[in-house]
Amino acid sequence: MQMRMQMTGRRVRAAILLGALVSLAPRPAQAQTAPAATAIDRALAASQWRDAVRLLDSALTVTPRDATRLQQRGRAHRELAQFDKALADYTLALAVDRRFAAAYGGRAIVQQRLGNINAAFADVDSARALGMNDPQLDLVEGISHLMNEDGAKAWARFDTYVRAVPDAAQGWMLRGRAAGILGRDADAEKDFTTAIERRMPGPEVYTLRAMARVALRNTAGACADLTEAANRGDKTAAGTVTKNCR
């Protein structure tokens, strides 16, 4: 049976970006010491991003050139998907302290989300030059290469990431996506399976594995994956199952 896959590259890339939320902590020299955490630090630790923004707004009216607080507000805005505000905060933090590696790392994520790929690469390079050796930088850089359809460079970055963080489902899904771009469908299928075993949320990983299985002529496996994707809310996958799977 010839299966017609109705998934576009743009849709897959959007799903990847939405799933790739990255958290880069402030550099250790500026970290708060326990147990005397402030209300701001408690809000950040609890992922209470709106409360954190409110508290940081107040603090920054008193000390507007506090690079750490600007970086923290940038992260909070980023987590709230307020990317323009996050970009402004990270840039202000770097205007105060040009050697603030975490601000470069956070801004790289925002630049990527805004589609400013060259700027994202530049900020990753700056963070690394300042000694940041965080696997999340490989994730950010790999996604940027993926957005440029450079499968080889993306695969290399995701491979470094999964070796450092083998339990992170997102990294395996992304490495599988890069392998698929390179035509390595068997490798892609294995990586998507690993991501599923690590409980990757959402339907996208099942849709991606279905695409790899179609290329491998595993129609039954592809239909099973599309059915699972449909059960997880993918309406396009549901339509494909109805038309092509028995």
Side-chain angles (χ1 to χ4, degrees):
M1 174 178 59
Q2 182 67 33
M3 182 176 297
R4 291 171 296 156
M5 303 302 295
Q6 302 176 4
M7 314 298 169
T8 67
R10 180 178 295 177
R11 181 178 180 278
V12 170
R13 287 195 294 274
I16 289 169
L17 289 176
L18 287 172
L21 297 177
V22 183
S23 296
L24 292 169
R27 54 185 177 177
Q30 294 181 318
Q32 301 298 316
T33 56
T38 66
I40 292 171
D41 301 309
R42 289 195 296 270
L44 291 168
S47 300
Q48 296 170 344
W49 307 117
R50 295 189 187 280
D51 287 344
V53 168
R54 176 177 54 80
L55 292 165
L56 285 161
D57 283 346
S58 179
L60 285 164
T61 61
V62 179
T63 54
R65 290 182 58 79
D66 187 325
T68 296
R69 294 310 189 197
L70 286 165
Q71 184 271 344
Q72 290 171 333
R73 192 172 66 178
R75 183 190 172 191
H77 280 309
R78 191 185 84 226
E79 297 286 356
L80 293 168
Q82 297 171 349
F83 299 124
D84 288 337
K85 291 181 178 180
L87 180 63
D89 279 338
Y90 286 129
T91 301
L92 285 171
L94 289 166
V96 175
D97 182 357
R98 299 301 301 175
R99 297 187 61 78
F100 199 162
Y104 282 112
R107 193 171 70 174
I109 299 166
V110 173
Q111 297 283 23
Q112 172 197 293
R113 293 299 185 88
L114 292 173
N116 303 328
I117 304 306
N118 290 336
F121 283 135
D123 280 340
V124 167
D125 288 344
S126 294
R128 286 189 169 132
L130 290 167
M132 180 175 256
N133 185 24
D134 192 316
Q136 301 289 10
L137 294 177
D138 292 304
L139 194 66
V140 173
E141 193 172 8
I143 292 170
S144 298
H145 285 307
L146 202 61
M147 292 174 70
N148 281 340
E149 298 291 340
D150 191 332
K153 289 182 179 179
W155 190 92
R157 294 274 60 81
F158 295 139
D159 183 60
T160 300
Y161 179 77
V162 298
R163 290 175 185 276
V165 193
D167 292 332
Q170 184 73 27
W172 293 100
M173 187 185 85
L174 291 167
R175 195 180 77 166
R177 176 60 180 148
I181 290 175
L182 295 170
R184 293 162 45 187
D185 298 303
D187 290 336
E189 182 189 28
K190 290 178 183 177
D191 281 348
F192 296 141
T193 298
T194 301
I196 289 167
E197 290 171 348
R198 283 158 174 73
R199 302 184 183 281
M200 183 71 203
E204 290 81 13
V205 68
Y206 289 96
T207 300
L208 288 166
R209 191 171 69 173
M211 294 169 71
R213 286 178 166 176
V214 167
L216 293 168
R217 302 182 183 277
N218 180 358
T219 299
C223 282
D225 279 341
L226 288 169
T227 299
E228 182 60 31
N231 291 339
R232 290 170 178 252
D234 188 328
K235 293 181 180 179
T236 303
T240 303
V241 170
T242 300
K243 292 178 181 179
N244 297 285
C245 298
R246 299 290 185 268

